[in-house]
Amino acid sequence: MTRHDNTLKSVNKVFKMVEHLKSNGGKTVTELSQELDMPKSTVQVYLNTLAKNKFVVKDGAKYQIGLQFLQYGMYALWNEPVFPNVKSKVEELADTTGELAACFVEELGEAVYVYGTEGNRAVRTDLTMGDRSGLHCTASGKAIFAHLPQERIEEIISQRPLEQKTPQTITDPDELREELKQIREQGHAYSREESVEGMRSVAAPILLDGEVVCSISLAGPANRFVGERFTADIPDIVKGAANEIELKLTYSESGL
């Protein structure tokens, strides 16, 4: 067993292979060997082990991600204490507005997409559950970011580059700090085409005992998210939904 930085090199290689299959679809042993620069014998051993445990499945000569991962993903999702209450409210937001409604949590300094649903006018995106992004470039991420402890905010800013996703992305730390302050004051966050050009969003944090546990958001095309609808109507809808979730969580914790 080879250790590097207190990790197992062999396990890292397995996860690298899994990530490659997820990003690129089915691959043969030869393709994986060439694309990952690993010996074919090593690739075959890893695939045999993953297949035995149903984490990959063989379709002809190609290997693909197996549904066994779904069981673990759903466990992680439903293990989030807020999820049952958030899920129904996110669905209600999508139904009543016709837009894309979503829920994000923070993990390891990133915004993680845990649930979303589309209304009848929603613009389809390529987001899938488990996708990650920087906290600085989405309304959902910034709503969470603004309500983290100040030490944690500074830690993330210092350790993670503020990647520029579009020309509108905030990449200056001081500008970001000022925006996070404004989000705390107004209770909601905006993304003005900062993650995907042509898409805007509004998000509000879900707070429990003063700590942020997740955020919920509405997103849509920039031509619909304009004027008072963008600056007043949608923020009021999202904050109202967030407040209802917070009340449910508070009463469920107190047993009332």
Side-chain angles (χ1 to χ4, degrees):
M1 295 187 298
T2 304
R3 292 181 182 273
H4 177 68
D5 292 337
N6 226 18
T7 62
L8 285 173
K9 190 175 180 181
S10 59
V11 176
N12 284 331
K13 285 183 176 179
V14 170
F15 283 120
K16 184 179 179 182
M17 183 181 298
V18 168
E19 181 62 31
H20 194 74
L21 288 172
K22 172 181 172 288
S23 301
N24 299 282
K27 293 288 181 179
T28 65
V29 173
T30 300
E31 288 171 336
L32 285 170
S33 173
Q34 293 172 345
E35 293 167 14
L36 297 176
D37 194 24
M38 293 184 193
K40 285 179 68 174
S41 58
T42 301
V43 170
Q44 189 66 73
V45 169
Y46 289 162
L47 288 172
N48 289 345
T49 304
L50 288 165
K52 182 178 180 181
N53 291 282
K54 302 178 182 177
F55 287 104
V56 300
V57 293
K58 191 175 183 183
D59 183 10
K62 294 189 174 185
Y63 289 84
Q64 301 190 48
I65 295 292
L67 292 175
Q68 185 76 343
F69 280 105
L70 185 62
Q71 182 179 0
Y72 290 86
M74 293 307 296
Y75 170 79
L77 186 59
W78 284 96
N79 203 42
E80 288 285 342
V82 301
F83 182 67
N85 288 305
V86 170
K87 180 177 180 292
S88 60
K89 188 53 66 175
V90 167
E91 291 170 350
E92 183 181 317
L93 279 174
D95 287 342
T96 55
T97 65
E99 306 291 1
L100 175 65
C103 172
F104 285 75
V105 299
E106 181 268 334
E107 185 181 67
L108 302 175
E110 296 176 307
V112 184
Y113 177 63
V114 294
Y115 187 69
T117 188
E118 299 170 352
N120 59 12
R121 298 196 302 162
V123 174
R124 294 206 165 192
T125 70
D126 58 1
L127 271 178
T128 58
M129 284 196 289
D131 280 354
R132 294 171 176 265
S133 63
L135 291 170
H136 69 292
C137 60
T138 65
S140 298
K142 288 190 287 184
I144 295 172
F145 209 173
H147 291 85
L148 293 174
Q150 194 61 42
E151 277 187 17
R152 180 67 174 139
I153 290 174
E154 293 304 323
E155 180 183 33
I156 293 171
I157 290 176
S158 66
Q159 292 181 356
R160 292 190 168 275
L162 303 178
E163 180 186 357
Q164 183 159 13
K165 306 285 283 185
T166 75
Q168 286 73 41
T169 308
I170 296 174
T171 58
D172 178 75
D174 289 335
E175 185 181 350
L176 178 60
R177 290 185 184 98
E178 186 60 35
E179 174 136 349
L180 296 181
K181 178 183 176 183
Q182 186 176 352
I183 291 166
R184 285 190 292 273
E185 292 171 352
Q186 66 192 14
H188 61 275
Y190 293 106
S191 173
R192 300 172 177 86
E193 303 181 60
E194 295 160 49
S195 179
V196 178
E197 289 193 77
M199 290 287 288
R200 290 181 170 184
S201 58
V202 179
I206 307 298
L207 304 174
L208 185 60
D209 297 327
E211 294 186 4
V212 60
V213 292
C214 66
S215 65
I216 58 172
S217 64
L218 281 171
N223 67 329
R224 284 209 300 264
F225 278 49
V226 292
E228 284 196 9
R229 184 168 190 258
F230 183 52
T231 61
D233 298 345
I234 291 177
D236 286 348
I237 292 169
V238 174
K239 286 192 290 187
N243 185 55
E244 288 182 38
I245 293 169
E246 288 172 348
L247 288 172
K248 285 183 180 179
L249 292 173
T250 300
Y251 286 132
S252 65
E253 278 214 335
S254 66
L256 296 176

